[in-house]
Amino acid sequence: MKLEFILEEKDFLEYHLFSISDNKSAKKIEKIGKFVLAGFFLYFGLNLYNSDNIVLGILFGILAILSVLFFNRFYKSRMKKYQSKIIKNSYAKRIGEKETMEFTSDLLITEDKTGQGKTKLSEIECVNETLNNFFIKLSNGSSFIISKKGLNNLDQLREKWKALNIPIIEHLNWEWN
């Protein structure tokens, strides 16, 4: 089965954000960051309050509460902006270019303007499916991105993966807020 598709900036961004949301250590860093920031504000707020600077102490207390409530939103918006910059710099020459992917009985053959690559199907751990893309996760930690946009044979593709014993994990409700 041969696929032809074009990857846009949003496809690369979705892949990076999906990878971050799927990474346990990234989730841990997010949780720790929230409480470190709140602790920082609380520490200074208590010190200011105890040194008779009550107004600033209360202000830092309010900032501690707000940081716990809104840290996740702020973190996710900053992460999205940061990843967008990385994608514009790292993938500039791949954005908007035609990519070809072919599944044979034992190989995954990829081709773009830079050349051709072959990967054994046994190296594919799984396929993560989101609303707009498929992410083919390899055992070495890297992934291939397939944009659903412009593909007409999605059901046939899923059947091919099932026939090749490649697990498909659906994340159709996934979104980066």
Side-chain angles (χ1 to χ4, degrees):
M1 168 175 260
K2 192 170 187 175
L3 305 171
E4 291 184 352
F5 52 91
I6 295 174
L7 293 176
E8 300 295 335
E9 183 179 335
K10 65 181 176 125
D11 299 317
F12 289 106
L13 181 61
E14 185 173 316
Y15 166 69
H16 280 264
L17 297 175
F18 178 81
S19 296
I20 291 168
S21 70
D22 201 36
N23 187 317
K24 290 178 183 172
S25 62
K27 289 178 186 177
K28 189 175 182 180
I29 288 170
E30 183 179 351
K31 286 180 183 178
I32 290 171
K34 176 194 304 189
F35 293 110
V36 166
L37 184 62
F40 171 79
F41 286 136
L42 199 55
Y43 173 77
F44 282 108
L46 287 173
N47 281 337
L48 288 168
Y49 188 82
N50 289 335
S51 63
D52 292 330
N53 200 340
I54 296 171
V55 174
L56 273 177
I58 291 172
L59 178 65
F60 271 86
I62 292 170
L63 285 174
I65 293 168
L66 291 175
S67 68
V68 169
L69 295 175
F70 296 108
F71 181 83
N72 289 352
R73 255 192 221 159
F74 175 74
Y75 174 81
K76 288 187 178 209
S77 71
R78 294 295 302 159
M79 189 59 69
K80 187 174 183 177
K81 188 175 181 180
Y82 176 72
Q83 292 298 323
S84 291
K85 280 184 182 179
I86 290 173
I87 289 162
K88 285 176 186 170
N89 291 332
S90 301
Y91 300 107
K93 294 184 180 177
R94 285 185 63 193
I95 295 172
E97 296 294 325
K98 184 176 97 173
E99 305 219 3
T100 305
M101 191 173 284
E102 183 176 0
F103 290 90
T104 66
S105 60
D106 58 343
L107 289 174
L108 167 59
I109 302 168
T110 56
E111 188 174 346
D112 59 19
K113 71 178 189 173
T114 61
Q116 187 180 62
K118 295 180 180 180
T119 305
K120 294 178 182 177
L121 290 181
S122 61
E123 294 300 309
I124 297 176
E125 283 185 8
C126 67
V127 174
N128 289 301
E129 180 181 6
T130 62
L131 190 61
N132 302 312
N133 296 297
F134 293 108
F135 306 126
I136 301 173
K137 185 176 181 181
L138 303 178
S139 61
N140 66 3
S142 63
S143 294
F144 292 112
I145 304 168
I146 300 175
S147 176
K148 289 182 179 179
K149 184 179 179 184
L151 292 181
N152 300 326
N153 52 355
L154 294 177
D155 291 330
Q156 185 181 2
L157 181 59
R158 287 184 195 99
E159 290 301 318
K160 176 73 172 176
W161 286 333
K162 286 179 185 175
L164 294 171
N165 293 320
I166 299 171
I168 303 169
I169 303 170
E170 292 184 349
H171 302 278
L172 298 175
N173 294 328
W174 177 88
E175 63 181 42
W176 185 266
N177 295 326

